[in-house]
Amino acid sequence: MVVTVNNIAYDLKHGLKTDIYYPNDTDSQTKILIFWHGGGWFRGSKESIRDVAIDLANAGFMTFVPDYRLAPANHFPAAHEDALNFAAWLLASNYTDEGDENNIVQIGASSGGTLALKVAGMYGFPTVTWSAPVDFSSWLADHQEVKPSVNAKEELGLTKQQAINEAFYKYFVLTYAGSEDSDLLADLDAQSYDYTKLGRLLMLNSAAELTDLAGVTDFAGRLAGRGHQVDLEIIPGHGHAMDYGREYLRESMTYLNYALSLKTRSE
């Protein structure tokens, strides 16, 4: 039976909290997983992935699901800062022991996957992303004709799924960025993050995402070119993040368990 503890404060200044899902048996070697929810940085909550968190806890992961500040009330880099602050809080908290940095892994869905990338580069936690957006500045520069819309079918009368997806993509990027400034958008690009400590990374993306896969493949190639272990898996179909997440949850856990085992062997 999974035990859940809700609304543990990790950032009093911004009123941010995390839920914790405990597996049946916990000890000093318990695996710890951080799950970053999606929602384009303007919606979504820790409660939205409760069922997934329970599955993770049942599989032996002590699972933390933090909230973070959302747009438009909070623009970039607010959510990114919250993700880093949560990782620092977790390592300094009573929920971890000395050396637990080597027991922590991550899964991030959609925009939560982008946050997971930021944390992975700074802390080295093995990470799986589900449909993480990575390309913003060049994509917006190449799609200036696209009108941003959270629901382009209703608001703009669009009927083609690709056009609807592109309108939504532009909407949530600009809503979080708060500006079309090219330098700011370049800072938001995942390739601009510090990956000094990046560990193993598995990126899952469907064949027909919100945007074409060129940005993702280029990003993965750049990381691999720097000597990082990056695995990119393209899933048939057009689902995004949580659309296929449950189906690929076991594979994600297998990957993370393997990454942890490699860490243990290298110690």
Side-chain angles (χ1 to χ4, degrees):
M1 177 179 180
V2 171
V3 175
T4 305
V5 179
N6 297 318
N7 297 319
I8 301 298
Y10 77 88
D11 184 338
L12 294 175
K13 178 180 178 181
H14 298 110
L16 297 174
K17 301 175 181 179
T18 184
D19 293 342
I20 309 172
Y21 297 80
Y22 290 89
N24 289 328
D25 299 311
T26 59
D27 55 36
S28 60
Q29 298 302 311
T30 296
K31 299 169 293 186
I32 297 168
L33 187 144
I34 308 169
F35 193 104
W36 299 103
H37 73 78
W41 297 302
F42 74 96
R43 64 186 180 190
S45 71
K46 56 186 175 61
E47 291 79 16
S48 65
I49 56 89
R50 174 180 170 80
D51 290 346
V52 172
I54 290 174
D55 288 345
L56 289 165
N58 277 323
F61 291 92
M62 182 178 177
T63 303
F64 290 78
V65 187
D67 266 337
Y68 47 86
R69 285 174 288 171
L70 299 177
N74 304 280
H75 293 134
F76 173 75
H80 286 64
E81 291 175 346
D82 296 338
L84 293 176
N85 288 341
F86 177 80
W89 171 86
L90 177 60
L91 289 171
S93 73
N94 293 329
Y95 299 102
T96 55
D97 300 318
E98 184 177 356
D100 262 345
E101 187 166 349
N102 292 321
N103 295 328
I104 299 174
V105 296
Q106 301 182 107
I107 295 177
S110 189
S111 55
T114 314
L115 300 181
L117 290 171
K118 181 72 172 180
V119 174
M122 298 294 289
Y123 286 91
F125 305 149
T127 295
V128 175
T129 62
W130 299 345
S131 301
V134 296
D135 179 27
F136 309 107
S137 61
S138 62
W139 189 90
L140 263 69
D142 292 340
H143 294 80
Q144 296 183 25
E145 77 288 354
V146 173
K147 293 182 179 180
S149 174
V150 69
N151 186 352
K153 184 176 182 179
E154 299 296 330
E155 296 174 353
L156 304 178
L158 300 182
T159 56
K160 293 184 178 180
Q161 191 60 50
Q162 181 180 352
I164 294 171
N165 290 345
E166 290 177 348
F168 177 69
Y169 192 82
K170 191 167 189 177
Y171 172 86
F172 79 73
V173 172
L174 292 181
T175 298
Y176 181 43
S179 167
E180 294 190 50
D181 179 79
S182 59
D183 290 337
L184 184 147
L185 291 168
D187 287 341
L188 179 55
D189 286 338
Q191 68 177 356
S192 73
Y193 305 165
D194 182 353
Y195 292 108
T196 302
K197 295 185 178 181
L198 184 67
R200 292 188 72 98
L201 171 64
L202 170 61
M203 303 184 70
L204 297 176
N205 289 79
S206 67
E209 277 287 354
L210 296 180
T211 62
D212 63 62
L213 289 172
V216 173
T217 55
D218 178 69
F219 172 72
R222 286 172 181 265
L223 288 181
R226 299 176 196 170
H228 296 295
Q229 177 61 54
V230 182
D231 297 287
L232 176 60
E233 181 173 348
I234 308 302
I235 298 167
H238 61 271
H240 178 75
M242 298 305 296
D243 292 336
Y244 61 74
R246 293 294 288 276
E247 183 180 352
Y248 284 83
L249 186 59
R250 184 176 297 277
E251 178 178 335
S252 299
M253 290 188 291
T254 298
Y255 185 90
L256 294 173
N257 278 319
Y258 176 66
L260 287 175
S261 73
L262 293 178
K263 274 194 167 187
T264 300
R265 293 177 202 170
S266 64
E267 291 177 2

